[in-house]
Amino acid sequence: MERITSVQNPKVKAYNELVSSAKSRREQGRFVLEGLRLCLDVLRSGAEVLELYYTKVLLDNNKADMEELIKVSSEVYEISENVAEKMSDTKTAQGVFCVVKKKDSIKELLNDGKYILLENIQDPANLGAISRTAEALGIEGLIVSGGCDVLSPKALRASMGALLRIPVIETEDVMMTIRSAKEQGIKTYASTPREDATDITKADFSGGVIVVVGNEANGVTQSTFDCCGNSITIKMTGRAESLNAGAAASIIMWEMVKPINEKS
């Protein structure tokens, strides 16, 4: 096992490039994780750990967990504390880092599946929070079009590992995805604050459903809105004109799974 003590080591530089560059993550088909909890989530996600980096202090304090990680990692490196500080994307370095191979995106939707389609979501914290709620409520998967990188360190931390476990479809052509879903008999709804949209509590969420949640500032694009053909809104009695994208998505997903919960 190699020990790395220089922040100029090529491995350290390559890791930091994956931290900062969505383009590098996309081109290389790999991403990074920091912290013991997130790294251990890889064991449950089925993803492949290409490189594992850890400090001696971290290893000594977490031997059983680290032994599991070491067993599944293709390359293993012990790093000095100063290298850990250089690699860290958080205020305090936690002392363990993984480079992980990106899993293939799922291609097909379940005919009776419930999905949230996120169009141009810009805030990694929103993306992460939505994925956590989706996993908790049993949503079949996320469909992501544009916006922030699903595998950015901030999104992965905010998701508490949910983005490693929940199925994710990434699409560059949201309208093609919606049309294909319609051909499968899946209902498609655009979420909107417009008052003429269907009250979410009265929408038909039986069977397969996709609901589109749009960009934090501008909402669902007009072309996507028109393509969906149906729209839903969360009726509000207070003074706020709209909800945060994460809050709106949580309410929507709760309503989507209601028919399932009421039957059980």
Side-chain angles (χ1 to χ4, degrees), residues 116-128 130 143-150 212-217 219-220 244-246 249:
I116 284 286
L117 194 160
L118 303 177
E119 185 182 37
N120 300 323
I121 293 293
Q122 298 296 319
D123 187 347
N126 278 336
L127 175 59
I130 291 168
I143 306 170
V144 180
S145 178
C148 62
D149 181 14
V150 173
V212 184
V213 175
N215 173 269
E216 291 91 340
V220 176
N244 167 277

mmCIF file of all heavy atoms in Angstrom, residues 116-128 130 143-150 212-217 219-220 244-246 249:
data_model
loop_
_atom_site.group_PDB
_atom_site.id
_atom_site.type_symbol
_atom_site.label_atom_id
_atom_site.label_comp_id
_atom_site.label_asym_id
_atom_site.label_seq_id
_atom_site.Cartn_x
_atom_site.Cartn_y
_atom_site.Cartn_z
ATOM 1 N N ILE A 116 -40.342 11.763 -10.136
ATOM 2 C CA ILE A 116 -40.227 13.220 -10.138
ATOM 3 C C ILE A 116 -39.209 13.594 -11.207
ATOM 4 O O ILE A 116 -38.097 13.050 -11.226
ATOM 5 C CB ILE A 116 -39.770 13.746 -8.765
ATOM 6 C CG1 ILE A 116 -40.913 13.713 -7.773
ATOM 7 C CG2 ILE A 116 -39.235 15.176 -8.865
ATOM 8 C CD1 ILE A 116 -41.964 14.786 -7.978
ATOM 9 N N LEU A 117 -39.607 14.499 -12.096
ATOM 10 C CA LEU A 117 -38.692 14.988 -13.130
ATOM 11 C C LEU A 117 -38.235 16.392 -12.733
ATOM 12 O O LEU A 117 -39.059 17.300 -12.596
ATOM 13 C CB LEU A 117 -39.371 15.010 -14.500
ATOM 14 C CG LEU A 117 -38.464 15.169 -15.719
ATOM 15 C CD1 LEU A 117 -39.174 14.689 -16.991
ATOM 16 C CD2 LEU A 117 -37.972 16.599 -15.918
ATOM 17 N N LEU A 118 -36.950 16.562 -12.522
ATOM 18 C CA LEU A 118 -36.379 17.839 -12.091
ATOM 19 C C LEU A 118 -35.782 18.545 -13.298
ATOM 20 O O LEU A 118 -34.818 18.063 -13.897
ATOM 21 C CB LEU A 118 -35.306 17.599 -11.025
ATOM 22 C CG LEU A 118 -35.779 16.824 -9.786
ATOM 23 C CD1 LEU A 118 -34.616 16.586 -8.832
ATOM 24 C CD2 LEU A 118 -36.918 17.546 -9.089
ATOM 25 N N GLU A 119 -36.379 19.683 -13.647
ATOM 26 C CA GLU A 119 -35.941 20.423 -14.825
ATOM 27 C C GLU A 119 -35.136 21.656 -14.410
ATOM 28 O O GLU A 119 -35.666 22.588 -13.814
ATOM 29 C CB GLU A 119 -37.149 20.848 -15.666
ATOM 30 C CG GLU A 119 -36.750 21.519 -16.970
ATOM 31 C CD GLU A 119 -37.940 21.981 -17.797
ATOM 32 O OE1 GLU A 119 -38.935 22.434 -17.196
ATOM 33 O OE2 GLU A 119 -37.867 21.890 -19.027
ATOM 34 N N ASN A 120 -33.854 21.620 -14.720
ATOM 35 C CA ASN A 120 -32.961 22.770 -14.477
ATOM 36 C C ASN A 120 -32.881 23.189 -13.014
ATOM 37 O O ASN A 120 -32.768 24.379 -12.703
ATOM 38 C CB ASN A 120 -33.399 23.976 -15.327
ATOM 39 C CG ASN A 120 -33.376 23.677 -16.811
ATOM 40 O OD1 ASN A 120 -32.504 22.965 -17.286
ATOM 41 N ND2 ASN A 120 -34.343 24.206 -17.544
ATOM 42 N N ILE A 121 -32.920 22.227 -12.087
ATOM 43 C CA ILE A 121 -32.716 22.541 -10.673
ATOM 44 C C ILE A 121 -31.259 22.956 -10.474
ATOM 45 O O ILE A 121 -30.336 22.208 -10.822
ATOM 46 C CB ILE A 121 -33.063 21.321 -9.788
ATOM 47 C CG1 ILE A 121 -34.562 21.015 -9.857
ATOM 48 C CG2 ILE A 121 -32.625 21.574 -8.346
ATOM 49 C CD1 ILE A 121 -35.442 22.072 -9.249
ATOM 50 N N GLN A 122 -31.042 24.139 -9.913
ATOM 51 C CA GLN A 122 -29.693 24.698 -9.830
ATOM 52 C C GLN A 122 -29.002 24.466 -8.486
ATOM 53 O O GLN A 122 -27.771 24.442 -8.420
ATOM 54 C CB GLN A 122 -29.750 26.212 -10.093
ATOM 55 C CG GLN A 122 -30.256 26.583 -11.474
ATOM 56 C CD GLN A 122 -29.354 26.098 -12.579
ATOM 57 O OE1 GLN A 122 -28.133 26.171 -12.463
ATOM 58 N NE2 GLN A 122 -29.941 25.603 -13.656
ATOM 59 N N ASP A 123 -29.755 24.313 -7.431
ATOM 60 C CA ASP A 123 -29.185 24.233 -6.090
ATOM 61 C C ASP A 123 -28.924 22.772 -5.708
ATOM 62 O O ASP A 123 -29.872 21.990 -5.581
ATOM 63 C CB ASP A 123 -30.142 24.880 -5.086
ATOM 64 C CG ASP A 123 -29.557 24.990 -3.690
ATOM 65 O OD1 ASP A 123 -28.513 24.358 -3.427
ATOM 66 O OD2 ASP A 123 -30.141 25.705 -2.861
ATOM 67 N N PRO A 124 -27.648 22.391 -5.495
ATOM 68 C CA PRO A 124 -27.355 21.007 -5.096
ATOM 69 C C PRO A 124 -28.057 20.603 -3.800
ATOM 70 O O PRO A 124 -28.416 19.432 -3.638
ATOM 71 C CB PRO A 124 -25.833 21.011 -4.913
ATOM 72 C CG PRO A 124 -25.332 22.176 -5.672
ATOM 73 C CD PRO A 124 -26.427 23.197 -5.625
ATOM 74 N N ALA A 125 -28.274 21.558 -2.900
ATOM 75 C CA ALA A 125 -28.974 21.246 -1.650
ATOM 76 C C ALA A 125 -30.414 20.838 -1.924
ATOM 77 O O ALA A 125 -30.947 19.914 -1.285
ATOM 78 C CB ALA A 125 -28.931 22.448 -0.705
ATOM 79 N N ASN A 126 -31.071 21.512 -2.866
ATOM 80 C CA ASN A 126 -32.431 21.125 -3.246
ATOM 81 C C ASN A 126 -32.449 19.734 -3.865
ATOM 82 O O ASN A 126 -33.305 18.906 -3.547
ATOM 83 C CB ASN A 126 -33.010 22.134 -4.237
ATOM 84 C CG ASN A 126 -33.575 23.369 -3.558
ATOM 85 O OD1 ASN A 126 -33.939 23.339 -2.399
ATOM 86 N ND2 ASN A 126 -33.638 24.467 -4.292
ATOM 87 N N LEU A 127 -31.514 19.491 -4.776
ATOM 88 C CA LEU A 127 -31.431 18.182 -5.428
ATOM 89 C C LEU A 127 -31.234 17.081 -4.396
ATOM 90 O O LEU A 127 -31.908 16.042 -4.431
ATOM 91 C CB LEU A 127 -30.292 18.181 -6.446
ATOM 92 C CG LEU A 127 -29.979 16.851 -7.133
ATOM 93 C CD1 LEU A 127 -31.192 16.327 -7.886
ATOM 94 C CD2 LEU A 127 -28.787 17.009 -8.072
ATOM 95 N N GLY A 128 -30.311 17.309 -3.462
ATOM 96 C CA GLY A 128 -30.050 16.304 -2.434
ATOM 97 C C GLY A 128 -31.248 16.069 -1.543
ATOM 98 O O GLY A 128 -31.603 14.927 -1.246
ATOM 99 N N ILE A 130 -34.435 16.625 -2.189
ATOM 100 C CA ILE A 130 -35.510 15.968 -2.953
ATOM 101 C C ILE A 130 -35.243 14.475 -3.067
ATOM 102 O O ILE A 130 -36.157 13.651 -2.931
ATOM 103 C CB ILE A 130 -35.656 16.616 -4.345
ATOM 104 C CG1 ILE A 130 -36.214 18.040 -4.204
ATOM 105 C CG2 ILE A 130 -36.571 15.780 -5.247
ATOM 106 C CD1 ILE A 130 -36.128 18.865 -5.470
ATOM 107 N N ILE A 143 -35.871 11.712 -12.456
ATOM 108 C CA ILE A 143 -35.461 12.021 -13.818
ATOM 109 C C ILE A 143 -34.891 13.431 -13.773
ATOM 110 O O ILE A 143 -35.556 14.357 -13.301
ATOM 111 C CB ILE A 143 -36.641 11.951 -14.804
ATOM 112 C CG1 ILE A 143 -37.350 10.592 -14.691
ATOM 113 C CG2 ILE A 143 -36.170 12.187 -16.237
ATOM 114 C CD1 ILE A 143 -38.673 10.519 -15.440
ATOM 115 N N VAL A 144 -33.655 13.609 -14.196
ATOM 116 C CA VAL A 144 -32.971 14.895 -14.061
ATOM 117 C C VAL A 144 -32.609 15.426 -15.439
ATOM 118 O O VAL A 144 -31.965 14.725 -16.241
ATOM 119 C CB VAL A 144 -31.709 14.763 -13.188
ATOM 120 C CG1 VAL A 144 -31.005 16.115 -13.062
ATOM 121 C CG2 VAL A 144 -32.071 14.219 -11.807
ATOM 122 N N SER A 145 -33.026 16.655 -15.707
ATOM 123 C CA SER A 145 -32.714 17.301 -16.978
ATOM 124 C C SER A 145 -32.103 18.670 -16.710
ATOM 125 O O SER A 145 -32.758 19.552 -16.165
ATOM 126 C CB SER A 145 -33.983 17.458 -17.825
ATOM 127 O OG SER A 145 -33.697 18.125 -19.041
ATOM 128 N N GLY A 146 -30.825 18.842 -17.069
ATOM 129 C CA GLY A 146 -30.148 20.118 -16.876
ATOM 130 C C GLY A 146 -29.908 20.423 -15.409
ATOM 131 O O GLY A 146 -30.080 19.587 -14.525
ATOM 132 N N GLY A 147 -29.485 21.654 -15.141
ATOM 133 C CA GLY A 147 -29.250 22.071 -13.770
ATOM 134 C C GLY A 147 -27.944 21.560 -13.218
ATOM 135 O O GLY A 147 -27.001 21.262 -13.942
ATOM 136 N N CYS A 148 -27.879 21.434 -11.897
ATOM 137 C CA CYS A 148 -26.629 21.042 -11.244
ATOM 138 C C CYS A 148 -26.337 19.555 -11.448
ATOM 139 O O CYS A 148 -27.224 18.756 -11.743
ATOM 140 C CB CYS A 148 -26.678 21.384 -9.754
ATOM 141 S SG CYS A 148 -27.973 20.541 -8.833
ATOM 142 N N ASP A 149 -25.083 19.216 -11.265
ATOM 143 C CA ASP A 149 -24.611 17.854 -11.475
ATOM 144 C C ASP A 149 -25.117 16.936 -10.361
ATOM 145 O O ASP A 149 -24.939 17.222 -9.178
ATOM 146 C CB ASP A 149 -23.076 17.866 -11.513
ATOM 147 C CG ASP A 149 -22.479 16.487 -11.755
ATOM 148 O OD1 ASP A 149 -23.235 15.571 -12.156
ATOM 149 O OD2 ASP A 149 -21.269 16.328 -11.554
ATOM 150 N N VAL A 150 -25.733 15.835 -10.747
ATOM 151 C CA VAL A 150 -26.252 14.866 -9.776
ATOM 152 C C VAL A 150 -25.140 14.327 -8.877
ATOM 153 O O VAL A 150 -25.383 13.995 -7.707
ATOM 154 C CB VAL A 150 -26.939 13.697 -10.528
ATOM 155 C CG1 VAL A 150 -27.328 12.590 -9.567
ATOM 156 C CG2 VAL A 150 -28.167 14.191 -11.265
ATOM 157 N N VAL A 212 -43.338 17.041 -13.107
ATOM 158 C CA VAL A 212 -42.176 17.883 -13.381
ATOM 159 C C VAL A 212 -42.116 19.022 -12.372
ATOM 160 O O VAL A 212 -43.097 19.739 -12.169
ATOM 161 C CB VAL A 212 -42.223 18.470 -14.811
ATOM 162 C CG1 VAL A 212 -40.947 19.275 -15.092
ATOM 163 C CG2 VAL A 212 -42.410 17.362 -15.841
ATOM 164 N N VAL A 213 -40.950 19.174 -11.740
ATOM 165 C CA VAL A 213 -40.675 20.312 -10.859
ATOM 166 C C VAL A 213 -39.601 21.147 -11.543
ATOM 167 O O VAL A 213 -38.556 20.627 -11.932
ATOM 168 C CB VAL A 213 -40.190 19.844 -9.472
ATOM 169 C CG1 VAL A 213 -39.785 21.044 -8.615
ATOM 170 C CG2 VAL A 213 -41.273 19.034 -8.775
ATOM 171 N N GLY A 214 -39.863 22.434 -11.681
ATOM 172 C CA GLY A 214 -38.974 23.276 -12.471
ATOM 173 C C GLY A 214 -37.920 24.020 -11.681
ATOM 174 O O GLY A 214 -37.798 23.892 -10.454
ATOM 175 N N ASN A 215 -37.180 24.813 -12.403
ATOM 176 C CA ASN A 215 -36.112 25.661 -11.877
ATOM 177 C C ASN A 215 -36.600 26.554 -10.733
ATOM 178 O O ASN A 215 -37.737 27.031 -10.750
ATOM 179 C CB ASN A 215 -35.573 26.504 -13.036
ATOM 180 C CG ASN A 215 -34.583 27.550 -12.601
ATOM 181 O OD1 ASN A 215 -34.965 28.670 -12.302
ATOM 182 N ND2 ASN A 215 -33.329 27.189 -12.574
ATOM 183 N N GLU A 216 -35.721 26.762 -9.739
ATOM 184 C CA GLU A 216 -36.083 27.529 -8.545
ATOM 185 C C GLU A 216 -36.623 28.920 -8.873
ATOM 186 O O GLU A 216 -37.560 29.399 -8.228
ATOM 187 C CB GLU A 216 -34.860 27.665 -7.625
ATOM 188 C CG GLU A 216 -34.416 26.374 -6.975
ATOM 189 C CD GLU A 216 -33.391 25.608 -7.779
ATOM 190 O OE1 GLU A 216 -33.275 25.852 -9.018
ATOM 191 O OE2 GLU A 216 -32.712 24.757 -7.207
ATOM 192 N N ALA A 217 -36.044 29.583 -9.868
ATOM 193 C CA ALA A 217 -36.446 30.959 -10.172
ATOM 194 C C ALA A 217 -37.562 31.046 -11.202
ATOM 195 O O ALA A 217 -38.469 31.880 -11.088
ATOM 196 C CB ALA A 217 -35.240 31.757 -10.661
ATOM 197 N N GLY A 219 -39.385 28.168 -12.673
ATOM 198 C CA GLY A 219 -40.357 27.087 -12.767
ATOM 199 C C GLY A 219 -40.161 26.212 -13.995
ATOM 200 O O GLY A 219 -39.094 26.194 -14.615
ATOM 201 N N VAL A 220 -41.196 25.489 -14.344
ATOM 202 C CA VAL A 220 -41.176 24.594 -15.509
ATOM 203 C C VAL A 220 -41.170 25.430 -16.787
ATOM 204 O O VAL A 220 -41.917 26.407 -16.902
ATOM 205 C CB VAL A 220 -42.405 23.659 -15.489
ATOM 206 C CG1 VAL A 220 -42.453 22.781 -16.732
ATOM 207 C CG2 VAL A 220 -42.409 22.810 -14.219
ATOM 208 N N ASN A 244 -40.488 26.938 -2.150
ATOM 209 C CA ASN A 244 -39.167 26.456 -2.519
ATOM 210 C C ASN A 244 -39.303 25.142 -3.285
ATOM 211 O O ASN A 244 -40.191 24.337 -2.995
ATOM 212 C CB ASN A 244 -38.355 26.268 -1.233
ATOM 213 C CG ASN A 244 -37.080 25.484 -1.435
ATOM 214 O OD1 ASN A 244 -37.112 24.256 -1.444
ATOM 215 N ND2 ASN A 244 -35.981 26.174 -1.589
ATOM 216 N N ALA A 245 -38.424 24.933 -4.264
ATOM 217 C CA ALA A 245 -38.522 23.736 -5.110
ATOM 218 C C ALA A 245 -38.475 22.457 -4.285
ATOM 219 O O ALA A 245 -39.214 21.499 -4.552
ATOM 220 C CB ALA A 245 -37.401 23.741 -6.147
ATOM 221 N N GLY A 246 -37.626 22.427 -3.266
ATOM 222 C CA GLY A 246 -37.530 21.239 -2.427
ATOM 223 C C GLY A 246 -38.802 20.991 -1.642
ATOM 224 O O GLY A 246 -39.283 19.854 -1.535
ATOM 225 N N ALA A 249 -41.590 19.864 -4.061
ATOM 226 C CA ALA A 249 -41.393 18.475 -4.483
ATOM 227 C C ALA A 249 -41.798 17.497 -3.384
ATOM 228 O O ALA A 249 -42.381 16.441 -3.657
ATOM 229 C CB ALA A 249 -39.937 18.252 -4.884
#
